[in-house]
Amino acid sequence: MDDLPEEVQELIEELDEAAEDEDEDAIKDLTQKLLATGVDVEAITLKKLALLVMDGEEEMTQGWTQVAIQIGTDPFKTLIEGLAAGMSLIGKKYEEGEAFVPQLLIASAAMYGGMDLLAPYMKQDENSGSKAATVVIGTVEGDVHDIGKSLVKTLLSANGFNCVDLGNDVPASRFIEAARENKATAVSMSTLMTTTMAEMPKVVKMLENEGIRDKLLVMVGGAPITAEYASQIGADVSPHDAASAASWLKGAVFDFPSESVRWS
């Protein structure tokens, strides 16, 4: 942002201070002043959000999320191109040994702070056909990472799905129980580590042994998971990101038998 006019840079610095102080009136006033300069405030806001999440600046992330809301940025765009983009940045640093687990956790807290503000603005798509569908979602046993799972849950919920969130470190048997209890349309599993990938085929096998595999769809995802792996273990799909997961499932439910037929 060094190439921005000095006037704009000063307003951005003032917005940072207002966000850190949780001064909502000042945020509104400064947002209007920034809009009056004629710069692309949405682009600036999304870039700021990504950098703030990466740096784990929770208060400022919430403040700039308020900016995004005020200027009318689509909440899904704010989530994907701002908040989630910041997690991708810190995730890349982690993979390259430039960041560590505590920094990942601090960044995720910042992202969740912004997501909490966006949630009321993520209106359900009443025409999606997914309103009554239930998805049992969780991170498999042995893995406590839930950032990707939570992103998928957020977008599925926003698209009308009823999500039963089992959390992280979820035993295979719990997925089966929850699927049966809720007459689920889909089970969604995630993992970040190769060491816990083997939990996924265990869940699929248990679904088969219980005679309920054909009653639901199975989605698997996470850093080490590929479409080839998903096919090998008998899952239906491995979307490459949270938005793709929601999009795929919205389409899949249209061709899937109704709950009353599947679970009769």
Side-chain angles (χ1 to χ4, degrees):
M1 297 192 186
D2 293 338
D3 56 341
L4 293 171
E6 185 175 344
E7 174 194 8
V8 173
Q9 291 191 38
E10 289 177 355
L11 286 170
I12 291 173
E13 290 175 3
E14 290 181 48
L15 262 170
D16 283 343
E17 293 175 5
E20 201 161 19
D21 294 339
E22 300 180 23
D23 188 339
E24 294 185 14
D25 290 336
I27 291 172
K28 290 179 182 177
D29 179 56
L30 290 164
T31 299
Q32 293 305 313
K33 290 180 179 178
L34 196 57
L35 286 168
T37 65
V39 296
D40 188 344
V41 180
E42 181 176 278
I44 291 172
T45 301
L46 294 174
K47 186 174 182 180
K48 281 290 295 186
L49 283 172
L51 295 175
L52 290 169
V53 168
M54 180 184 70
D55 292 337
E57 298 285 356
E58 185 172 354
E59 288 81 8
M60 284 201 279
T61 297
Q62 290 179 310
W64 278 90
T65 300
Q66 290 181 1
V67 173
I69 292 169
Q70 286 181 35
I71 63 176
T73 301
D74 183 280
F76 295 98
K77 188 174 185 178
T78 303
L79 174 63
I80 300 301
E81 297 185 23
L83 302 176
M87 286 308 303
S88 295
L89 291 174
I90 192 67
K92 186 175 182 181
K93 284 180 174 287
Y94 176 77
E95 292 170 1
E96 295 174 348
E98 297 178 1
F100 303 94
V101 171
Q103 290 164 287
L104 283 176
L105 295 176
I106 293 171
S108 65
M111 181 189 72
Y112 289 139
M115 284 172 61
D116 287 344
L117 293 177
L118 286 177
Y121 298 91
M122 291 184 168
K123 297 180 180 177
Q124 294 186 355
D125 183 355
E126 300 292 344
N127 301 315
S128 67
S130 56
K131 187 176 182 182
T134 295
V135 182
V136 170
I137 186 169
T139 305
V140 298
E141 187 170 20
D143 195 330
V144 297
H145 300 90
D146 68 355
I147 295 169
K149 180 266 295 176
S150 295
L151 278 172
V152 172
K153 176 191 169 186
T154 298
L155 290 180
L156 287 177
S157 298
N159 279 280
F161 290 98
N162 171 38
C163 290
V164 178
D165 188 353
L166 303 181
N168 54 51
D169 194 18
V170 181
S173 59
R174 183 68 189 108
F175 281 104
I176 311 306
E177 293 169 1
R180 191 185 291 281
E181 289 170 1
N182 295 282
K183 298 181 179 179
T185 297
V187 167
S188 178
M189 297 177 276
S190 68
T191 184
L192 188 66
M193 305 185 296
T194 55
T195 52
T196 56
M197 290 170 61
E199 291 297 314
M200 292 176 167
K202 186 186 294 185
V203 173
V204 175
K205 192 65 178 176
M206 289 184 72
L207 289 169
E208 292 173 353
N209 291 341
E210 291 290 324
I212 59 174
R213 174 62 185 88
D214 293 339
K215 297 180 185 296
L216 44 77
L217 300 161
V218 175
M219 297 196 299
V220 292
I225 307 303
T226 63
E228 183 180 10
Y229 182 74
S231 178
Q232 286 175 355
I233 68 173
D236 292 295
V237 69
S238 178
H240 67 270
D241 57 30
S244 299
S247 177
W248 180 84
L249 193 55
K250 281 176 64 178
V253 295
F254 277 108
D255 299 323
F256 213 47
S258 66
E259 177 187 303
S260 59
V261 172
R262 286 181 290 113
W263 289 96
S264 59

